Amino acid sequence: MSTQEQVQKLAMKAQRPLLEVQNLVKVYKTGKRALQEVNFIIDRPQVVAIIGSSGAGKSTFIRCINRLVEPTSGRILLNGEDIVSLDRKGLRAARRRVGMIFQEYNLVERLTVMQNVLSGRLGYVGLLNSIRYKFPPEDIRAAFELLDRVGLEGYENRRADALSGGQRQRVGIARALMQRPELLLLDEPTASLDPKTSRQIMRLVGELVNERKTPAIINIHDVALAKAHADRIIGFNDGRIVFDDVPANLTDEALARIYGDEDWNPPADDGEATRS
């Protein structure tokens, strides 16, 4: 490839969004339309919170992006590459570019913190080395740096099953970042955590997005947490995006569109409480 062709290729990559979802549809075998013509773009590093009622399509949307759930139709472009059209080998390579953090942590309980973090590099080392957990020195250094960054310095030899929920989630974040991903996906990362730990985890994610310039999409039930820590909020209702804006514009009217009037607006005061 000539120098001019390389420059043109880099220029084209710089112009296209990091993530572009086009007309995404997911229909389950039951006939349930979980996603209906969803369109979505991320063109800069930011924390995007996905909110909505249970069954609105939030988890399906997150999991379609890396094809843990197979879309029925539509396109999902990661730096211009359509993930939906990839074969198994291509999908394995694409998933290395997307870090996934789960509600249930998905750690190997009997392994140490360091082994769990290093598992984020399993897709980059050979089969024999991965079985032996043998990694290059630069990966070991990066793992120690990440453990320090997420507040787990000195925990590298602890077994995962000896950690608290917040500590496990920090291990999951460090493991995802070991992939050196272009995009982070978090599926209800605070659902099993207490309020204080939830705020700490959300604050940490926001700091890492800013530091590493890696966008994060977070499926979250806690509206207050989303408003406090997200740069952008997407509201789903019945498989459709009905809100896409900054947290400051998430008014009660917008929340009623997302959750439904009967689910959001408080009951009218009929004065019963003040009658003697």
Side-chain angles (χ1 to χ4, degrees), residues 36-81:
Q36 307 191 55
E37 299 291 333
V38 172
N39 293 278
F40 174 83
I41 288 177
I42 291 183
D43 58 6
R44 63 187 182 278
Q46 57 184 177
V47 177
V48 181
I50 308 293
I51 65 172
S53 301
S54 297
K58 306 186 305 298
S59 287
T60 299
F61 176 68
I62 287 276
R63 290 169 180 261
C64 276
I65 291 175
N66 62 358
R67 278 179 56 189
L68 290 177
V69 169
E70 288 290 343
T72 301
S73 62
R75 305 177 77 202
I76 300 170
L77 304 174
L78 181 64
N79 269 326
E81 182 177 41

Side-chain angles (χ1 to χ4, degrees), residues 3 9 12 34 49 60 64 73-74 76 83 100 107 113 128 134 137 142 150 155 163 166 168 199 204 256-257 273-274:
T3 301
K9 185 176 181 179
M12 289 177 63
T60 299
C64 276
S73 62
I76 300 170
I83 292 177
M100 186 80 180
L107 304 181
V113 166
L128 187 59
K134 187 176 181 181
V150 301
Y155 282 75
L163 303 178
R168 292 185 189 196
R199 291 194 298 272
L204 175 62
R257 289 202 309 274
T274 63

Side-chain angles (χ1 to χ4, degrees), residues 123-134:
Y124 297 88
V125 300
L127 177 62
L128 187 59
N129 285 335
S130 68
I131 293 172
R132 296 174 176 174
Y133 272 84
K134 187 176 181 181

